[in-house]
Amino acid sequence: MTHPFDLTGRRALVTGSSRGIGLAVARSLLEAGAHVIIHGRAAAGAEATAAALAEEFGDAAVSAAAFDVTDEASVVDGIDDIEAVDPLDILVNNAGVQHREPLLDVAVEDWDRVLRTNLTSAFLVGRTAARQMIARGDGAIVNICSVQTELARPTIAAYTAAKGGLRNLTRAMTAEWAGQGVRVNGVAPGYIRTELTQALVDDEEFNAWVLGRTPSGRWGEPEDIGGAVVWLASSAASFVSGQVVFVDGGMTAVV
């Protein structure tokens, strides 16, 4: 009997997967048996990461794609290239960017950049991939949200707005596509230790706040996110759609 978490024979694209959470998610999907397409805006970074993973999982298990997730024409060309090889079964919308500045000082250009990278990209890539998934009557999309989907902190207003919007985009996608075989869910990481957040880990005051605010008493690791994504992408979650699973050590469960 096939294990319900087994992704053998499935092809998965993880946007922004050359490092950090995206890379950890890609590794978890590989370990579950999926073929994973490593994505980056620049071909060199995506190809280097794919090559490193291929040494561990084999050349047949990993490939690379490069396109701009904020540009519709680039997205369409990128997904078409992927589909020309084999169908895309799983999409993980992970690409994102942060901007820290008081809301009164944020330039419109920075606001637009954060929303376009964190929210509009999921719409563009999700819609483009879904057109093919709907035609086949099967597919799974996982949007990487955040605790800022539910909570807010000073200086990250654009990011908070984008991640809150991503939760409702997940619901909107479900409302329109679930009946056609495409399941859409979200995973909302808490404070995760990555190279991009290392400066916050090293900040004694901020680190103390995270440890005190998180019931589990620690920062999350990128590997903590992969299991939830594998579950939502697998047949074990065949009747789960429109949900956002918080992987945050309990942060959003307490006051």
Side-chain angles (χ1 to χ4, degrees):
M1 181 176 179
T2 302
H3 195 285
F5 295 94
D6 183 12
L7 298 178
T8 301
R10 309 283 281 178
R11 294 182 80 230
L13 167 65
V14 184
T15 65
S17 49
S18 61
R19 60 180 179 174
I21 290 174
L23 176 56
V25 167
R27 178 176 289 278
S28 293
L29 292 168
L30 283 163
E31 290 171 348
H35 174 100
V36 176
I37 302 157
I38 300 299
H39 165 269
R41 188 169 185 172
E47 290 170 358
T49 299
L53 289 170
E55 291 183 3
E56 181 177 354
F57 294 96
D59 291 340
V62 193
S63 55
F67 56 87
D68 182 354
V69 295
T70 69
D71 179 81
E72 184 173 17
S74 182
V75 167
V76 170
D77 288 345
I79 297 298
D80 282 351
D81 288 345
I82 290 169
E83 287 277 346
V85 176
D86 271 314
L88 181 64
D89 304 294
I90 300 162
L91 166 65
V92 182
N93 280 313
N94 170 75
V97 68
Q98 180 62 279
H99 181 82
R100 299 182 184 277
E101 189 175 19
L103 184 55
L104 291 176
D105 301 324
V106 174
V108 172
E109 292 80 7
D110 289 323
W111 174 273
D112 288 344
R113 177 175 58 88
V114 172
L115 263 69
R116 191 163 187 82
T117 305
N118 291 282
L119 178 57
T120 305
S121 70
F123 156 66
L124 291 174
V125 183
R127 180 175 69 172
T128 305
R131 287 191 173 112
Q132 302 293 336
M133 293 176 176
I134 288 168
R136 293 188 288 268
D138 182 59
I141 297 174
V142 182
N143 295 323
I144 302 299
C145 300
S146 166
V147 287
Q148 268 68 51
T149 293
E150 185 71 23
L151 306 173
R153 275 186 57 81
T155 76
I156 55 171
Y159 184 85
T160 301
K163 292 300 187 179
L166 189 55
R167 170 179 55 191
N168 273 1
L169 178 62
T170 299
R171 292 168 174 168
M173 288 173 165
T174 292
E176 297 200 19
W177 302 340
Q180 300 173 80
V182 180
R183 297 182 299 103
V184 187
N185 292 285
V187 172
Y191 282 85
I192 307 298
R193 184 201 309 265
T194 69
E195 57 190 275
L196 296 178
T197 61
Q198 190 59 48
L200 298 176
V201 177
D202 295 337
D203 183 319
E204 291 186 8
E205 182 178 356
F206 194 88
N207 182 60
W209 177 82
V210 169
L211 297 181
R213 183 67 179 78
T214 305
S216 293
R218 67 172 177 90
W219 286 73
E221 301 295 336
E223 294 73 23
D224 291 325
I225 310 305
V229 174
V230 168
W231 168 55
L232 291 172
S234 74
S235 62
S238 63
F239 199 52
V240 181
S241 199
Q243 305 305 305
V244 175
V245 178
F246 284 80
V247 184
D248 63 359
M251 177 176 278
T252 54
V254 301
V255 295

